[in-house]
Amino acid sequence: MKQNNPPAAQAKALNILIVDDSATMRALLHRVVGLADLPIGTIYQAPNGLEALKILETYSVQALFTDLNMPVMNGMDLLREVAKRDSWKNILRIVISTDGSKLRREEARELNVDLYVEKPFRPEVVRDVLCQIAGADAS
Amino acid sequence: MSSVKSPALTPADLYAVLQTALVEVSENAFFVFVERCDAGQFAALAEQMPAHGAGPAGQSRAWLKSSVAYVGAFSGSVEIALPERLGASLVASLLGMSPDEELAESQTFDGVGEFTNMVCGACLSRLGDTALFELRVPAVTRMALEWNPLTEAPGRAELVCLMVSLNDLPMRVRVLA
């Protein structure tokens, strides 16, 4: 699943992958990403970790937003796979999950997760995350 | 959930946690305010349901029941019963849709499942910050038109039951063992 933004916006495009088994959450994140005043390239979507890996194998992605509890392959297993691959080491990893436990956060930190956002979240939180990413890339 | 593995947690504690989680999810993510109901107010709202008008095939008058099971340090499920039209309005609110935009049935079901998922997760985060839980995929069912929570026969063990209204429509939230 992918959506291309207008070519003009792709000059310094930030390609994003949203992984969540809920189509509603994917739609929400897609909308929220649009709120950020950033050049967004392609927003890819996947309903589970396995589908996400196929997208990562095929396309260049700079930021990965992933849920944790998903069927087929969950978010932690996806992050483990991402961590194994040297060519994916620069992908920014953002977990968006209902699971706010300390243990899960620690587990995520060990997998080089850059940010952990607990659901429910305010849309501005994700928008600000993207702005941070853009700021880091620009520096 | 509280009785077997977590004896220090009383039903009153669990009720408070559930209420806080519901308010947080409803207001922060779905932009809808929660009002507590007593049994009489809930019954009045539920009985008014047929008067709210029928959508296609009477769908807007039907109730949905959504459940998310969790396993971990203790196990159980969070179950939410709500009118389908309330479910649709919650999803529309989450996605920033205008009131006259129509949602597909699958969107409503998926969004109601996510609402339940968030309430369940928010509860567990408050109950066991140092414990790990796995949440199952939400199950959402449309109930028969004649069904409503007031006439439901008690089934599985109910630990707490919270009755509220959102947008003047009733919602029942339960934690089941």
Side-chain angles (χ1 to χ4, degrees):
Chain A
M1 285 180 272
K2 71 172 188 176
Q3 175 176 330
N4 288 309
N5 283 337
Q10 294 186 5
K12 293 192 290 184
L14 186 66
N15 293 338
I16 292 170
L17 172 56
I18 298 169
V19 192
D20 198 307
D21 57 327
S22 165
T24 305
M25 285 310 299
R26 294 200 305 270
L28 173 65
L29 283 167
H30 191 287
R31 188 172 73 87
V32 168
V33 164
L35 294 175
D37 188 20
L38 294 171
I40 302 298
T42 303
I43 301 173
Y44 301 99
Q45 297 186 29
N48 59 61
L50 195 60
E51 293 299 318
L53 284 175
K54 290 178 188 170
I55 290 170
L56 289 170
E57 297 273 8
T58 313
Y59 302 102
S60 169
V61 168
Q62 284 75 50
L64 165 68
F65 288 81
T66 184
D67 187 17
L68 293 182
N69 283 306
M70 294 181 288
V72 185
M73 179 188 278
N74 66 37
M76 282 301 177
D77 287 342
L78 167 63
L79 290 165
R80 280 186 199 98
E81 291 300 317
V82 171
K84 284 180 193 170
R85 194 76 70 90
D86 197 50
S87 58
W88 292 340
K89 68 181 179 187
N90 290 328
I91 296 176
L92 283 137
R93 297 146 217 202
I94 300 112
V95 166
I96 298 191
S97 173
T98 55
D99 188 341
S101 67
K102 283 179 187 169
L103 288 173
R104 197 71 78 194
R105 284 172 180 272
E106 283 167 15
E107 198 178 353
R109 199 176 305 123
E110 285 167 12
L111 290 169
N112 301 323
V113 165
D114 296 278
L115 283 157
Y116 195 111
V117 179
E118 195 175 340
K119 297 181 196 172
F121 60 87
R122 289 186 176 278
E124 311 89 82
V125 172
V126 173
R127 182 200 60 195
D128 293 348
V129 163
L130 281 171
C131 290
Q132 281 178 32
I133 291 167
D137 280 357
S139 60
Chain B
M1 150 171 97
S2 61
S3 56
V4 179
K5 300 284 175 74
S6 186
L9 192 67
T10 67
D13 295 334
L14 187 54
Y15 186 93
V17 164
L18 181 62
Q19 183 168 263
T20 304
L22 179 65
V23 168
E24 183 188 351
V25 170
S26 301
E27 296 186 2
N28 289 353
F30 290 80
F31 311 109
V32 177
F33 288 102
V34 178
E35 293 180 58
R36 270 183 72 177
C37 290
D38 61 27
Q41 290 166 326
F42 185 87
L45 287 172
E47 284 163 9
Q48 285 169 16
M49 282 294 300
H52 280 292
Q59 288 178 3
S60 67
R61 292 190 292 127
W63 286 75
L64 300 181
K65 198 189 267 192
S66 174
S67 177
V68 171
Y70 54 88
V71 293
F74 41 88
S75 303
S77 63
V78 170
E79 179 205 86
I80 295 180
L82 76 171
E84 187 166 348
R85 65 194 309 252
L86 174 55
S89 73
L90 287 173
V91 179
S93 177
L94 177 76
L95 295 178
M97 297 168 67
S98 63
D100 52 346
E101 280 183 86
E102 291 222 356
L103 277 172
E105 177 187 295
S106 60
Q107 285 179 293
T108 300
F109 277 48
D110 183 81
V112 167
E114 187 58 29
F115 181 87
T116 313
N117 186 45
M118 285 191 204
V119 172
C120 184
C123 271
L124 294 173
S125 292
R126 283 169 176 74
L127 290 175
D129 189 43
T130 56
L132 282 178
F133 294 94
E134 295 289 340
L135 274 63
R136 301 299 189 217
V137 175
V140 182
T141 308
R142 179 187 288 122
M143 309 307 286
L145 271 179
E146 62 273 19
W147 185 91
N148 80 60
L150 300 168
T151 58
E152 185 178 40
R156 298 172 56 196
E158 176 184 295
L159 297 174
V160 290
C161 177
L162 179 60
M163 289 181 286
V164 296
S165 74
L166 293 86
N167 291 346
D168 294 325
L169 289 166
M171 174 186 283
R172 183 191 69 183
V173 187
R174 302 195 295 174
V175 178
L176 305 173

